[in-house]
Amino acid sequence: PYILQTSCPLIDRKENTMNAEISIYNPDTLGAPLGQYCHVTRVKATEFLFIAGSLAADKEGNIIGPDLDFEAQCSQVFGNIEKALGSANASWANVVQFTTYLVNSQWIPRFMDFRLKNFPTMFPDGKYPPNTMLMVDRLVQEPFLVEVQTIAAI
């Protein structure tokens, strides 16, 4: 039911990625992804950016969406990632992998909906970086529902 992206032809991201050469694709030998991602990212870069898991907290440390507002939490998480990328003069085009942590599998459909709604703007070439999704017992504080770790090549 989560097969959302059936084609992911090889596209090289060389514009807006500084010196990194990033190719995101699905090999013919693998089945279609089970969500909005591609199976493989091939990177040639001299520098990588490792962004710690981003949570739904603003600059002052306030939790955004503390009352199970999953969409608000996702918006804050990806907003924080965008700011971290910007601190290195990078953008979404530099992202080569996500690792997503959810506190309950009930949030998977909502996360997929968030990605369907927002990723076309973030990744206009339609090449969504590989994403590993894990269910965890809880995050660093009880109100957090989602955390996303990011790797970028710059």
mmCIF file of all heavy atoms in Angstrom, residues 119-137:
data_model
loop_
_atom_site.group_PDB
_atom_site.id
_atom_site.type_symbol
_atom_site.label_atom_id
_atom_site.label_comp_id
_atom_site.label_asym_id
_atom_site.label_seq_id
_atom_site.Cartn_x
_atom_site.Cartn_y
_atom_site.Cartn_z
ATOM 1 N N PHE A 119 7.785 17.129 -0.032
ATOM 2 C CA PHE A 119 8.996 16.766 -0.755
ATOM 3 C C PHE A 119 9.038 17.286 -2.195
ATOM 4 O O PHE A 119 10.122 17.609 -2.672
ATOM 5 C CB PHE A 119 9.232 15.261 -0.699
ATOM 6 C CG PHE A 119 10.033 14.830 0.512
ATOM 7 C CD1 PHE A 119 9.980 15.531 1.711
ATOM 8 C CD2 PHE A 119 10.836 13.712 0.451
ATOM 9 C CE1 PHE A 119 10.705 15.136 2.819
ATOM 10 C CE2 PHE A 119 11.575 13.301 1.552
ATOM 11 C CZ PHE A 119 11.513 14.017 2.728
ATOM 12 N N PRO A 120 7.920 17.374 -2.923
ATOM 13 C CA PRO A 120 8.026 17.928 -4.280
ATOM 14 C C PRO A 120 8.590 19.348 -4.308
ATOM 15 O O PRO A 120 9.265 19.730 -5.264
ATOM 16 C CB PRO A 120 6.586 17.884 -4.790
ATOM 17 C CG PRO A 120 5.975 16.733 -4.061
ATOM 18 C CD PRO A 120 6.587 16.822 -2.673
ATOM 19 N N THR A 121 8.363 20.131 -3.266
ATOM 20 C CA THR A 121 8.936 21.475 -3.185
ATOM 21 C C THR A 121 10.400 21.410 -2.754
ATOM 22 O O THR A 121 11.247 22.127 -3.286
ATOM 23 C CB THR A 121 8.142 22.329 -2.171
ATOM 24 O OG1 THR A 121 6.776 22.384 -2.600
ATOM 25 C CG2 THR A 121 8.694 23.737 -2.084
ATOM 26 N N MET A 122 10.693 20.552 -1.819
ATOM 27 C CA MET A 122 12.058 20.429 -1.308
ATOM 28 C C MET A 122 12.988 19.792 -2.340
ATOM 29 O O MET A 122 14.157 20.161 -2.435
ATOM 30 C CB MET A 122 12.057 19.596 -0.019
ATOM 31 C CG MET A 122 11.303 20.259 1.122
ATOM 32 S SD MET A 122 10.801 19.120 2.451
ATOM 33 C CE MET A 122 12.349 18.471 3.004
ATOM 34 N N PHE A 123 12.470 18.821 -3.084
ATOM 35 C CA PHE A 123 13.253 18.082 -4.084
ATOM 36 C C PHE A 123 12.527 18.151 -5.428
ATOM 37 O O PHE A 123 11.905 17.179 -5.860
ATOM 38 C CB PHE A 123 13.442 16.618 -3.649
ATOM 39 C CG PHE A 123 14.105 16.462 -2.308
ATOM 40 C CD1 PHE A 123 13.353 16.254 -1.169
ATOM 41 C CD2 PHE A 123 15.487 16.543 -2.202
ATOM 42 C CE1 PHE A 123 13.955 16.117 0.076
ATOM 43 C CE2 PHE A 123 16.103 16.407 -0.961
ATOM 44 C CZ PHE A 123 15.337 16.195 0.178
ATOM 45 N N PRO A 124 12.577 19.309 -6.099
ATOM 46 C CA PRO A 124 11.788 19.487 -7.325
ATOM 47 C C PRO A 124 12.167 18.549 -8.463
ATOM 48 O O PRO A 124 11.368 18.360 -9.382
ATOM 49 C CB PRO A 124 12.029 20.951 -7.703
ATOM 50 C CG PRO A 124 13.228 21.385 -6.949
ATOM 51 C CD PRO A 124 13.327 20.507 -5.741
ATOM 52 N N ASP A 125 13.344 17.931 -8.397
ATOM 53 C CA ASP A 125 13.715 16.974 -9.448
ATOM 54 C C ASP A 125 13.046 15.614 -9.234
ATOM 55 O O ASP A 125 13.178 14.712 -10.044
ATOM 56 C CB ASP A 125 15.235 16.815 -9.553
ATOM 57 C CG ASP A 125 15.889 16.250 -8.292
ATOM 58 O OD1 ASP A 125 15.179 15.899 -7.322
ATOM 59 O OD2 ASP A 125 17.129 16.153 -8.291
ATOM 60 N N GLY A 126 12.317 15.458 -8.115
ATOM 61 C CA GLY A 126 11.611 14.209 -7.845
ATOM 62 C C GLY A 126 12.504 13.086 -7.359
ATOM 63 O O GLY A 126 12.055 11.957 -7.202
ATOM 64 N N LYS A 127 13.756 13.377 -7.071
ATOM 65 C CA LYS A 127 14.705 12.382 -6.598
ATOM 66 C C LYS A 127 14.824 12.518 -5.088
ATOM 67 O O LYS A 127 15.525 13.390 -4.590
ATOM 68 C CB LYS A 127 16.079 12.557 -7.252
ATOM 69 C CG LYS A 127 16.080 12.679 -8.748
ATOM 70 C CD LYS A 127 15.220 11.692 -9.457
ATOM 71 C CE LYS A 127 15.779 10.317 -9.457
ATOM 72 N NZ LYS A 127 14.895 9.361 -10.106
ATOM 73 N N TYR A 128 14.116 11.679 -4.382
ATOM 74 C CA TYR A 128 14.111 11.750 -2.930
ATOM 75 C C TYR A 128 15.204 10.847 -2.367
ATOM 76 O O TYR A 128 15.287 9.675 -2.718
ATOM 77 C CB TYR A 128 12.747 11.351 -2.382
ATOM 78 C CG TYR A 128 11.620 12.145 -3.013
ATOM 79 C CD1 TYR A 128 10.494 11.517 -3.506
ATOM 80 C CD2 TYR A 128 11.697 13.528 -3.138
ATOM 81 C CE1 TYR A 128 9.464 12.240 -4.090
ATOM 82 C CE2 TYR A 128 10.680 14.264 -3.723
ATOM 83 C CZ TYR A 128 9.560 13.613 -4.194
ATOM 84 O OH TYR A 128 8.548 14.328 -4.772
ATOM 85 N N PRO A 129 16.053 11.386 -1.491
ATOM 86 C CA PRO A 129 17.172 10.602 -0.951
ATOM 87 C C PRO A 129 16.690 9.335 -0.241
ATOM 88 O O PRO A 129 15.568 9.294 0.282
ATOM 89 C CB PRO A 129 17.820 11.554 0.049
ATOM 90 C CG PRO A 129 17.388 12.911 -0.370
ATOM 91 C CD PRO A 129 16.022 12.743 -0.953
ATOM 92 N N PRO A 130 17.544 8.331 -0.183
ATOM 93 C CA PRO A 130 17.199 7.143 0.590
ATOM 94 C C PRO A 130 16.841 7.527 2.018
ATOM 95 O O PRO A 130 17.401 8.464 2.583
ATOM 96 C CB PRO A 130 18.487 6.304 0.559
ATOM 97 C CG PRO A 130 19.164 6.718 -0.705
ATOM 98 C CD PRO A 130 18.858 8.190 -0.837
ATOM 99 N N ASN A 131 15.889 6.789 2.569
ATOM 100 C CA ASN A 131 15.421 7.040 3.925
ATOM 101 C C ASN A 131 15.223 5.703 4.626
ATOM 102 O O ASN A 131 14.529 4.838 4.114
ATOM 103 C CB ASN A 131 14.089 7.800 3.895
ATOM 104 C CG ASN A 131 13.575 8.099 5.294
ATOM 105 O OD1 ASN A 131 14.080 8.979 5.964
ATOM 106 N ND2 ASN A 131 12.569 7.362 5.734
ATOM 107 N N THR A 132 15.853 5.561 5.772
ATOM 108 C CA THR A 132 15.602 4.403 6.619
ATOM 109 C C THR A 132 14.693 4.863 7.739
ATOM 110 O O THR A 132 14.963 5.872 8.387
ATOM 111 C CB THR A 132 16.919 3.847 7.201
ATOM 112 O OG1 THR A 132 17.736 3.422 6.108
ATOM 113 C CG2 THR A 132 16.665 2.686 8.143
ATOM 114 N N MET A 133 13.577 4.140 7.948
ATOM 115 C CA MET A 133 12.616 4.513 8.980
ATOM 116 C C MET A 133 12.620 3.452 10.079
ATOM 117 O O MET A 133 12.522 2.261 9.799
ATOM 118 C CB MET A 133 11.212 4.631 8.386
ATOM 119 C CG MET A 133 10.178 5.087 9.388
ATOM 120 S SD MET A 133 8.510 5.150 8.693
ATOM 121 C CE MET A 133 8.718 6.391 7.430
ATOM 122 N N LEU A 134 12.753 3.929 11.308
ATOM 123 C CA LEU A 134 12.793 3.042 12.461
ATOM 124 C C LEU A 134 11.742 3.446 13.486
ATOM 125 O O LEU A 134 11.482 4.636 13.689
ATOM 126 C CB LEU A 134 14.176 3.110 13.127
ATOM 127 C CG LEU A 134 15.359 2.788 12.222
ATOM 128 C CD1 LEU A 134 16.650 3.266 12.849
ATOM 129 C CD2 LEU A 134 15.410 1.307 11.952
ATOM 130 N N MET A 135 11.143 2.455 14.150
ATOM 131 C CA MET A 135 10.229 2.717 15.255
ATOM 132 C C MET A 135 11.034 2.556 16.547
ATOM 133 O O MET A 135 11.772 1.579 16.709
ATOM 134 C CB MET A 135 9.073 1.713 15.286
ATOM 135 C CG MET A 135 8.194 1.685 14.046
ATOM 136 S SD MET A 135 7.569 3.269 13.531
ATOM 137 C CE MET A 135 8.353 3.396 11.937
ATOM 138 N N VAL A 136 10.891 3.538 17.435
ATOM 139 C CA VAL A 136 11.608 3.506 18.708
ATOM 140 C C VAL A 136 10.621 3.663 19.858
ATOM 141 O O VAL A 136 9.500 4.150 19.664
ATOM 142 C CB VAL A 136 12.697 4.609 18.775
ATOM 143 C CG1 VAL A 136 13.769 4.367 17.729
ATOM 144 C CG2 VAL A 136 12.098 5.991 18.615
ATOM 145 N N ASP A 137 11.033 3.271 21.040
ATOM 146 C CA ASP A 137 10.174 3.345 22.217
ATOM 147 C C ASP A 137 9.820 4.785 22.570
ATOM 148 O O ASP A 137 8.689 5.103 22.885
ATOM 149 C CB ASP A 137 10.864 2.647 23.389
ATOM 150 C CG ASP A 137 10.025 2.665 24.641
ATOM 151 O OD1 ASP A 137 8.854 2.248 24.572
ATOM 152 O OD2 ASP A 137 10.537 3.117 25.685
#
